[in-house]
Amino acid sequence: MDKLLTTTEVSHLTGMSKSWFEHQRWLGGDDGPPYVKIGRSVRYRIADIQDWLNRARQSAVSLPSPAPRR
């Protein structure tokens, strides 16, 4: 079983603000990592955070180059 991290721990691990993660949960989109809700507590699986970071890195590499300026 993976250790479950709090929003604060994930914030420290990724260098992103705690409020960013809270906002992503509120939006309900695919930009934030998956999370687990246990009662009122929100937790993140380490494996999910690693997968989310890997997907973010891969999509950033695949962005098209900007058009040359004329």
Side-chain angles (χ1 to χ4, degrees), residues 12-68:
H12 290 301
L13 182 69
T14 62
M16 299 174 73
S17 72
K18 188 176 156 187
S19 63
W20 185 87
F21 288 98
E22 293 165 349
H23 187 70
Q24 292 304 311
R25 289 195 311 264
W26 181 79
L27 288 175
D30 293 332
D31 290 337
Y35 60 92
V36 177
K37 216 139 166 209
I38 305 169
R40 294 175 68 185
S41 299
V42 173
R43 298 292 185 262
Y44 297 87
R45 291 178 52 234
I46 292 175
D48 289 341
I49 297 299
Q50 290 170 333
D51 290 343
W52 174 70
L53 289 171
N54 285 333
R55 283 192 313 272
R57 183 187 69 216
Q58 291 169 0
S59 65
V61 171
S62 64
L63 291 175
S65 301

